[in-house]
């Protein structure tokens, strides 16, 4: 059984501010429970949906060390849809009306959350093979894992860092991050977390994770370029060998036109054509739009930010309203500039523009199902879920060709044999967007049969999480195998070292002790001394013997010489 832990800052149905929550809420359910034990860990926000949080059970608590800080962390848990969910509790960090705040607060908040995730693992008795981290809020996990968790429990745990949006990186003062994390200066250099003079935890996640993934294949390429890399294009090119693009899916159990309880009229691909006008009229009534079945109703459900292309909409909205057959339905919150803009135009064009500055799941589903077209003129789009939902609901997307929009919407080229599922434009400018909208409206008004075929192809496309989950599973398998190989190699090294130690011990047991070696040395020296004395005495004896013989010889010779001398004197006298 492969053990996977997904760490994130939000997930449906507990807390949602954007598409990340949809991803984390759906993805875990699409892995085989026979092969994978997938669990999710989140902050326990005070602003989370209390109906979902009411049955949590506290299972453990501990202290989390952030440099000189010692902070409480409680761990709560529940099972939902067969998935184990953990929640890190700390009211100091997670008590507030929103999950996200100003960066000077979020910097420490999410460093704490990342450190807490690793700290509690032994206490909840779950040692994951892989931790999947999502966006900068959990990007400290791969860094802390390598820098501050050397214990055997954490050995060879692998990490994936998934990028949902490059724009949000958690940049803050480097000295502040040093103080928060307690990491040494070596972690705040150009080749680690330093980024244009600031500390950048997102960069740390990219550099220290084993694999990096993005939420679409086109976005994986775009972030390697200066225009899309948000200052980290060089880092992304550096990790290109371990970077993968996996397009998000949608939870088809939640977004199901046949069973969706939020729709006024349910339908399938066969009954779509008859149900669309009924849902459209119901939405027009709900939003106080003029009831007109033939109006070209454009829907938008989005965060109201520059990224989503609302500057282009602002530039051309008056031009669009010159066409009396166009209606617009908008739901979202975000930049005050765009909130006020839409409220202004809703008042200016009463009955033709409806705006709800809020997020309502019910209204969102009804816009997806009831609008004729769905507008997403994004400046950049890592993946995008709204276009996937609109395709699935039979609402034709009108998008800019960028990131996941480019990967998921096939442009209609105006030909009968086209396999298009929507309308697109390339250059990021208002005129190109407007021209695309006119093209789409012309097909809708003049050739509704072709429009119906475009919508039908979108409904037939498969954007469920099954395909995406299979791609993630492949990466999990690779990392699990890498971990297993590393652990086996480490075990093999330990066994070899142990074998060598035993061999040395055996040799040590056979070898003489130091005292024995000293005694042998002394005996050897004594033996050598005795032999030397004997040799000296023998030599002296030999010398004495030789001297005695020599004296005897000399005496004989002298006697012989004297005798010969006497004999010669006698001869001379005679």
């Amino acid at each position: 059984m492969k053990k996977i832990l997904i760490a994130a800052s939000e997930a449906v149905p507990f807390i949602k501010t954007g598409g990340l929550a949809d991803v984390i809420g759906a993805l875990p359910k699409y892995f085989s429970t026979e092969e994978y034990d997938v669990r999710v860990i989140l902050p326990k926000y005070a602003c989370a949906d209390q109906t979902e949080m009411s049955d949590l059970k506290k299972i453990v608590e501990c202290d989390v060390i952030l440099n000189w800080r010692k902070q409480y962390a409680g761990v709560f848990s529940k099972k939902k849809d067969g998935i184990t969910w953990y929640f890190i509790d700390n009211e100091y960090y997670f008590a507030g009306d929103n999950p996200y705040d100003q960066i000077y607060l979020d910097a420490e908040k999410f460093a704490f959350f990342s450190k807490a995730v690793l700290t509690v693992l032994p206490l909840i008795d779950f040692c994951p093979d892989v931790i999947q981290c999502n966006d900068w809020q959990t990007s400290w996990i791969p860094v802390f894992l390598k820098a501050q968790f050397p214990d055997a429990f954490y050995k060879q745990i692998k990490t994936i860092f998934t990028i949902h949006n490059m724009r949000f990186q958690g940049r803050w003062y480097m000295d502040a991050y040093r103080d928060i994390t307690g990491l040494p200066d070596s972690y705040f250099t150009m080749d680690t977390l330093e980024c244009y003079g600031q500390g950048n935890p997102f960069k740390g996640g990219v550099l220290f994770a084993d694999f990096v993934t993005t939420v679409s294949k086109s976005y994986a390429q775009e972030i390697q370029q200066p225009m899309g890399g948000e200052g980290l294009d060089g880092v992304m090119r550096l990790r290109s060998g371990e970077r993968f693009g996996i397009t998000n899916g949608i939870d088809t159990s939640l977004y199901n036109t046949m069973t969706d309880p939020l729709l006024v009229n349910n339908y399938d691909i066969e009954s779509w054509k008859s149900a669309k006008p009924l849902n459209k009229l119901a939405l027009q009534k709900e939003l106080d739009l003029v009831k007109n079945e033939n109006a070209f109703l454009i829907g938008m459900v989005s965060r109201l930010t520059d990224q989503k292309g609302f500057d282009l909409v602002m530039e051309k909205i008056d031009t669009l309203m010159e066409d009396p057959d166009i209606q617009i339905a908008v739901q979202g919150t975000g930049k005050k500039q765009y909130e006020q803009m839409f409220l202004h135009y809703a008042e200016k064009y009463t009955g033709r523009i409806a705006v709800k500055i809020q997020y309502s799941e019910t209204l969102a589903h009804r816009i997806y199902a009831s609008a004729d077209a769905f507008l997403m003129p994004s400046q950049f789009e890592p993946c995008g879920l709204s276009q996937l939902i609109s395709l699935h609901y039979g609402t034709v997307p009108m998008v800019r060709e960028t990131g996941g929009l480019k990967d998921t919407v096939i442009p209609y080229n105006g030909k009968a044999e086209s396999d298009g599922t929507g309308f697109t434009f390339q250059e990021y400018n208002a005129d190109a967007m407007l021209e695309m909208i006119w093209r789409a409206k012309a097909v809708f008004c003049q050739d509704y049969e072709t429009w119906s075929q475009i919508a039908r192809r979108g409904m037939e496309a498969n954007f469920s999480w099954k395909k995406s989950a299979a791609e993630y599973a492949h990466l999990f398998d690779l990392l699990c195998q890498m971990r297993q190989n590393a652990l086996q190699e480490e075990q093999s090294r330990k066994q070899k070292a142990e074998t060598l130690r035993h061999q040395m011990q055996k040799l040590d047991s056979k070898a003489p002790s130091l005292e024995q070696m000293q005694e042998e040395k002394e005996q050897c020296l004594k033996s050598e001394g005795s032999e030397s004395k004997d040799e000296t005495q023998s030599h002296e004896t030999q010398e004495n013997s030789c001297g005695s013989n020599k004296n005897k010889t000399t005496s004989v010779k002298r006697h012989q010489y004297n005798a010969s001398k006497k004999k010669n004197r006698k001869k001379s006298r005679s």
Side-chain angles (χ1 to χ4, degrees):
M1 182 73 75
K2 303 176 182 75
K3 298 179 180 179
I4 312 298
L5 181 68
I6 299 176
S9 58
E10 59 179 270
V12 294
F14 307 103
I15 183 74
K16 175 178 177 177
T17 67
L20 171 62
D22 291 305
V23 172
I24 304 304
L27 179 59
K29 296 185 288 187
Y30 286 82
F31 295 102
S32 168
T33 56
E34 295 179 357
E35 292 185 63
Y36 304 93
D37 181 2
V38 180
R39 307 185 188 187
V40 187
I41 190 163
L42 304 169
K44 185 177 179 289
Y45 298 111
C47 60
D49 186 342
Q50 294 307 307
T51 59
E52 292 289 347
M53 308 289 280
S54 60
D55 57 344
L56 298 184
K57 294 182 179 179
K58 187 174 184 179
I59 56 175
V60 73
E61 66 178 60
C62 65
D63 291 325
V64 174
I65 307 301
L66 278 179
N67 200 7
W68 50 268
R69 304 165 186 79
K70 182 187 286 188
Q71 298 284 25
Y72 158 85
V75 183
F76 288 74
S77 178
K78 74 176 290 183
K79 275 255 190 183
K80 185 175 179 65
D81 298 327
I83 305 298
T84 299
W85 296 79
Y86 298 112
F87 299 85
I88 299 294
D89 177 44
N90 182 296
E91 292 186 2
Y92 175 75
Y93 292 116
F94 303 133
D97 295 333
N98 295 290
Y100 309 122
D101 211 314
Q102 300 298 316
I103 183 60
Y104 70 90
L105 297 173
D106 284 353
E108 184 175 329
K109 175 195 299 183
F110 291 110
F112 164 80
F113 176 63
S114 296
K115 191 73 175 284
V117 168
L118 294 171
T119 302
V120 305
L121 290 178
L123 303 179
I124 62 176
D125 193 25
F126 186 68
C127 183
D129 297 298
V130 181
I131 303 176
Q132 185 198 6
C133 311
N134 294 273
D135 273 349
W136 83 267
Q137 292 87 354
T138 56
S139 61
W140 284 110
I141 291 175
V143 182
F144 285 147
L145 185 60
K146 288 190 164 86
Q148 297 181 341
F149 287 84
D151 296 351
F153 178 89
Y154 300 93
K155 285 289 185 184
Q156 299 299 333
I157 291 178
K158 301 302 180 183
T159 55
I160 293 178
F161 183 58
T162 298
I163 299 170
H164 298 264
N165 196 324
M166 282 283 291
R167 179 157 289 183
F168 305 104
Q169 300 179 10
R171 297 185 187 187
W172 189 235
Y173 295 119
M174 222 158 18
D175 287 342
Y177 272 133
R178 283 194 187 96
D179 177 68
I180 291 169
T181 64
L183 292 168
D185 289 344
S186 60
Y187 280 83
F188 295 95
T189 62
M190 283 183 63
D191 56 349
T192 52
L193 275 74
E194 188 275 335
C195 185
Y196 301 101
Q198 293 183 305
N200 189 332
F202 185 100
K203 182 184 177 186
V206 172
L207 290 174
F208 285 86
D210 296 287
F211 285 166
V212 177
T213 65
T214 66
V215 290
S216 71
K217 290 175 173 56
S218 288
Y219 192 59
Q221 298 303 315
E222 292 171 0
I223 59 178
Q224 293 186 91
Q225 307 304 320
M227 284 293 292
E230 301 290 344
L232 294 180
D233 51 291
V235 178
M236 299 314 303
R237 290 193 295 272
L238 181 67
R239 294 305 310 270
S240 61
E242 300 86 24
R243 191 195 64 251
F244 307 88
I246 302 176
T247 303
N248 284 338
I250 57 173
D251 188 347
T252 51
S253 65
L254 177 63
Y255 295 104
N256 187 328
T257 59
M258 292 183 289
T259 59
D260 190 339
L262 304 180
L263 302 187
V264 176
N265 294 280
N266 293 101
Y267 57 93
D268 59 15
I269 195 169
E270 300 302 329
S271 60
W272 163 85
K273 207 168 180 180
S274 59
K276 173 67 78 171
L278 299 177
N279 284 319
K280 182 176 176 178
L281 289 170
L283 182 66
Q284 287 172 334
K285 181 179 179 181
E286 181 179 352
L287 297 179
D288 294 323
L289 293 170
V290 174
K291 291 184 179 180
N292 181 358
E293 184 179 325
N294 297 318
F296 185 53
L297 178 55
I298 300 172
M300 286 183 277
V301 177
S302 175
R303 288 182 292 110
L304 306 180
T305 64
D306 294 331
Q307 176 202 332
K308 299 298 184 178
F310 286 107
D311 56 329
L312 305 186
V313 177
M314 178 186 291
E315 186 176 339
K316 294 298 181 181
I317 195 166
D318 279 318
T319 305
L320 285 171
M321 289 295 100
E322 290 175 2
D323 186 330
D325 293 328
I326 288 182
Q327 294 182 348
I328 298 176
V330 180
Q331 177 187 253
T333 61
K335 200 172 180 179
K336 292 298 180 184
Q337 174 188 5
Y338 297 127
E339 290 183 355
Q340 292 170 1
M341 174 195 78
F342 277 116
L343 290 172
H344 164 73
Y345 283 116
E347 185 177 348
K348 182 177 180 180
Y349 297 104
T350 303
R352 296 184 58 204
I353 296 180
V355 176
K356 295 294 183 182
I357 304 301
Q358 62 178 37
Y359 185 80
S360 162
E361 197 72 24
T362 299
L363 181 57
H365 281 235
R366 291 179 179 177
I367 291 175
Y368 289 132
S370 306
D372 297 300
F374 195 91
L375 180 60
M376 291 182 71
S378 302
Q379 187 180 62
F380 69 93
E381 195 64 62
C383 179
L385 295 178
S386 291
Q387 85 280 9
L388 301 181
I389 300 168
S390 68
L391 284 164
H392 194 60
Y393 275 54
T395 297
V396 177
M398 302 185 298
V399 305
R400 178 169 174 261
E401 293 183 16
T402 181
L405 301 178
K406 182 179 179 180
D407 291 347
T408 56
V409 178
I410 302 171
Y412 173 70
N413 61 12
K415 297 179 180 179
E417 66 275 11
S418 173
D419 58 353
T421 57
F423 294 81
T424 69
F425 69 105
Q426 295 180 341
E427 295 299 322
Y428 188 75
N429 66 68
D431 289 331
M433 179 196 72
L434 186 63
E435 190 273 334
M436 173 199 65
I437 294 173
W438 293 142
R439 281 190 289 114
K441 181 178 181 292
V443 175
F444 173 82
C445 294
Q446 300 169 19
D447 190 356
Y448 193 73
E449 185 57 36
T450 296
W451 182 270
S452 300
Q453 292 172 5
I454 295 171
R456 185 183 181 94
R457 283 193 291 267
M459 295 183 74
E460 290 172 343
N462 180 10
F463 292 111
S464 84
W465 270 108
K466 289 182 180 178
K467 180 180 177 183
S468 304
E471 294 184 56
Y472 277 111
H474 177 63
L475 295 185
F476 292 158
D477 291 346
L478 286 176
L479 288 174
C480 288
Q481 189 59 55
M482 288 168 57
R483 181 174 192 247
Q484 191 62 33
N485 291 344
L487 291 174
Q488 288 176 353
E489 289 176 7
E490 187 173 338
Q491 185 64 27
S492 177
R493 286 194 299 270
K494 286 182 179 179
Q495 290 175 348
K496 289 178 180 178
E498 187 68 15
T499 300
L500 182 60
R501 189 176 66 83
H502 283 310
Q503 291 175 345
M504 294 299 293
Q505 286 178 343
K506 288 180 180 179
L507 290 174
D508 288 344
S509 64
K510 293 179 180 179
S513 65
L514 186 62
E515 291 78 5
Q516 289 174 332
M517 290 174 66
Q518 188 65 30
E519 289 178 4
E520 289 180 3
K521 182 178 179 182
E522 291 175 357
Q523 290 176 0
C524 184
L525 290 174
K526 288 179 181 180
S527 175
E528 289 177 355
S530 175
E531 290 176 359
S532 177
K533 184 176 181 181
D534 292 343
E535 287 178 0
T536 302
Q537 291 176 346
S538 174
H539 181 67
E540 290 176 351
T541 302
Q542 290 176 0
E543 286 182 347
N544 291 336
S545 175
C546 290
S548 176
N549 292 335
K550 184 178 179 181
N551 291 335
K552 289 180 179 179
T553 302
T554 303
S555 178
V556 170
K557 288 182 176 180
R558 187 180 292 117
H559 177 73
Q560 290 175 346
Y561 172 77
N562 290 334
S564 174
K565 189 175 179 182
K566 287 178 180 182
K567 186 176 180 180
N568 288 337
R569 277 199 302 264
K570 286 180 179 181
K571 286 182 179 180
S572 74
R573 287 176 185 172
S574 52

